[in-house]
Amino acid sequence: VQHSHLALLLVFLLATILILGIFAADYPTFLRQHYDNPKSNMRKSYCNAMMQSREMTNPNCKPLNSFIHDTKNRITAVCGSKGIPFGNRLRRSWRQFRVTICRMRGSSILPPCEYRENTSPRYIVIACENGLPVHYEEGQI
């Protein structure tokens, strides 16, 4: 009987490690897609260059993406005391962040990708897992 309990515990631990690994993998993706601090100085169009360098133009153009220009600690704090619950699973920042929104020009999602840029202070809305941001909710506030 003890062997079955041990096997069950082992399966549970492996499942937990896999689940945590999946969530942890989302934080690096969040950083790649939404974090740029300080704002990168690009010789050509900021959005065109950033979307390409951050791998969001192949095989298709990502239609909309936002880059947050603040520290990782301040962004992550929205998952805790610096954020308030906002809908299902989401948290909204107490304060505004400097954000650049890259919106695709035209309607084709096929490269070459052309973007227009809008930088403004705005509240950010994010989803968090294990205290880390894993998703940026576009089009909020």
Side-chain angles (χ1 to χ4, degrees):
V1 176
Q2 278 188 318
H3 282 68
S4 64
H5 287 295
L6 189 59
L8 193 59
L9 180 62
L10 190 60
V11 167
F12 175 76
L13 287 173
L14 284 173
T16 303
I17 289 167
L18 284 172
I19 289 169
L20 289 176
I22 289 167
F23 289 141
D26 284 334
Y27 179 60
T29 300
F30 176 88
L31 292 178
R32 177 177 59 84
Q33 292 186 347
H34 303 294
Y35 171 75
D36 184 39
N37 189 58
K39 184 178 178 179
S40 297
N41 188 9
M42 300 294 180
R43 289 193 175 147
K44 54 180 183 171
S45 160
Y46 173 84
C47 284
N48 290 346
M50 286 297 292
M51 294 296 284
Q52 188 167 9
S53 72
R54 298 292 181 93
E55 302 170 4
M56 290 182 274
T57 59
N58 192 13
N60 295 322
C61 309
K62 185 175 181 186
L64 177 67
N65 192 72
S66 298
F67 292 101
I68 306 165
H69 311 297
D70 212 319
T71 66
K72 291 177 188 175
N73 286 344
R74 286 191 185 136
I75 296 166
T76 300
V78 176
C79 294
S81 63
K82 301 295 182 183
I84 53 173
F86 187 86
N88 186 24
R89 273 187 64 226
L90 299 173
R91 298 191 59 83
R92 177 187 172 273
S93 60
W94 278 106
R95 68 172 190 84
Q96 292 186 334
F97 286 77
R98 211 163 62 93
V99 176
T100 298
I101 301 162
C102 299
R103 191 177 307 272
M104 207 174 65
R105 296 178 192 260
S107 58
S108 172
I109 60 165
L110 299 175
C113 311
E114 284 284 321
Y115 292 91
R116 62 181 188 273
E117 164 187 344
N118 178 4
T119 301
S120 63
R122 59 192 302 119
Y123 297 99
I124 62 171
V125 177
I126 58 177
C128 303
E129 296 287 350
N130 301 314
L132 294 173
V134 295
H135 169 75
Y136 183 92
E137 188 71 10
E138 298 284 3
Q140 294 293 325
I141 310 175

